[in-house]
Each structure stands twice: as C-alpha cells, then as structure tokens.
Amino acid sequence: MALEQDIAKLIEASNDLTATVDNKIQDITATLTSSVVDAKNKVNAELGKIDQRFDSARKKQSHFRVTKNQALIPNEAGTFPHSWSGGYVKEARLLETVTTGVETDQRTPLAREFLRAINSDTKYFAGKFNIWELEYYPNRRGESAHLFAYLMYQYFRAPTLVTVAAIVKHISGVLPNGFWCEGLEANQEAKLCGRTAYYGRNNYSHCHPYVHGEGKPEDETGVIQIALPAVVTGEVPLDDWGQFAYLGDATQNAYD
C-alpha cells in the first residue's frame, strides 16, 4: 500500500513539474515574442523615418531638362511640336492649350484629365502647355513592315541618371511602350508614364517609345494623346512630375 502511495505521489510530483515547466516555457515564449515584436516595431519605425527623410530629400533635388519644348509649342507650320522629330507618326494634331488661371469647372474634361495626372487640377499651376494627338503607324511600313516603329523623340545627352516621362492617353491601336510611354495602359484615363535610365556620362540616346506592330497592315494606325514630355536629370518620382527648366540653349525660353 505504501509503495502505491509513493508511486502516486511521484506521478503527482512529475505532473506538477511538467506543468511548471510548461508554464515557464509559455512565459519565456511570450517574453521572447513580445521582445521580437517590440524590436521589429522599433526597426520598422526607424525604417519609416529613413524613408520619409529619403523621400523629402529626393523631392528637394533640382532637376533640369536635357530636351527642348516640353510645352509642345507648334512649329511654324503648326503641324508638329518644334524641336521634336516625328519617328513613324502619320499625323500630329494640336488638340488644346491648357492655361493657368481658369476655374476648374470652366476647363474641358480633357484638360482636367491631363491635369489630374500630375495632381494639378487646380485654378493655378505652373504655366500653359499643349495637348497633342499623334496618329502613328504600327511598324516601319513597306519592305520594313517586319520592323517595329517608334514615335516622337529627341536626341539627348545623358550626363547622369535621367527620368523620361510624359502624360499620355491611349486612344486606339497597338500600345506603345518604353521611354515616355513606359507603363501606358490601353483605353484608360491619361496617366503619367515614364522611367529612369542611366547610360554612362559620355553617352546619348533618343527618347522614342516603341510600337511593336510588326507585320500589321500600315492602315492599322494607332492614336495616343500626349502632354509635357521631357528627359530630365536625376530621378524624379512619377507622382511629382511637372514643368522643368531647360538650360541648354540661350535662344530657347527655359520653360518652353
């Protein structure tokens, strides 16, 4: 009988010890979990502060255009924006001049749509600009119909990392991509499209989007609308696009 009692006491003691160990493990786990969560929250908070400082510093940078005529002022004939080359554009049409100082409800829906794309759907903004419509071929036509086409462009030197962007709206046809059409979506509202690029300090490029309509009939033209295209020094956040000064030509108004 005494032996059975001793065994029962041992079993009870063992159970008590197991419960004590389990409780300690739970306490340690809870403490560690709390410490890990606290440490993670502190790290995330510091990373958030760093991101805020980085974004603030990035938006304070100076940026200058290395391409001309961001406002898309027409050439003397009125047929195309001056200083821009046509690529495989069939026809360019000046749709509208968007002017500052106009009450928002007095603007056209197109003007407001383009202004919303750069968070400037207000009475006042930096300065007037033009919206153009470009009708373009799907490829290089004729014997070169097996080659992709490209759109309006300028030659530019790339002294540092540059941002290439524009407000673009796709209307119909093959969707262009690359440079100031990067990220363009078919049949959506006007949006800011573009990307950054680095070519090295002694190189150049041509900022023409690509049209991959190889083999399509040349009468299957596409149409886009565009405003404020430019190649700008440095990295410009695509939610902070605007009008940038051009300082490369004494004969050119800085904001034209």
Side-chain angles (χ1 to χ4, degrees), residues 82-212:
H82 77 72
S83 301
W84 289 88
S85 298
Y88 288 87
V89 173
K90 179 181 180 181
E91 184 181 1
R93 298 176 283 270
L94 176 57
L95 295 181
E96 183 173 351
T97 299
V98 185
T99 307
T100 186
V102 178
E103 296 291 347
T104 55
D105 61 0
Q106 298 301 309
R107 288 205 176 98
T108 66
L110 182 66
R112 296 196 65 183
E113 181 180 340
F114 271 69
L115 286 170
R116 282 196 302 271
I118 52 172
N119 303 312
S120 296
D121 186 22
T122 56
K123 180 176 181 178
Y124 297 104
F125 59 91
K128 67 180 181 180
F129 61 88
N130 291 323
I131 302 173
W132 285 74
E133 187 166 85
L134 307 179
E135 183 179 3
Y136 52 90
Y137 294 106
N139 50 59
R140 301 189 192 185
R141 310 168 63 201
E143 294 181 354
S144 298
H146 63 289
L147 300 175
F148 64 83
Y150 51 85
L151 298 185
M152 187 180 82
Y153 69 94
Q154 285 186 45
Y155 160 94
F156 67 93
R157 294 185 182 183
T160 182
L161 180 127
V162 295
T163 303
V164 187
I167 309 170
V168 190
K169 181 178 182 178
H170 175 259
I171 303 299
S172 63
V174 178
L175 191 70
N177 59 32
F179 288 101
W180 48 263
C181 278
E182 185 76 17
L184 181 61
E185 298 177 86
N187 307 313
Q188 299 297 314
E189 280 205 348
K191 64 175 292 188
L192 188 64
C193 302
R195 65 181 179 89
T196 58
Y198 181 66
Y199 301 92
R201 294 194 181 276
N202 195 35
N203 285 293
Y204 69 93
S205 188
H206 298 86
C207 56
H208 49 62
Y210 306 99
V211 183
H212 287 286

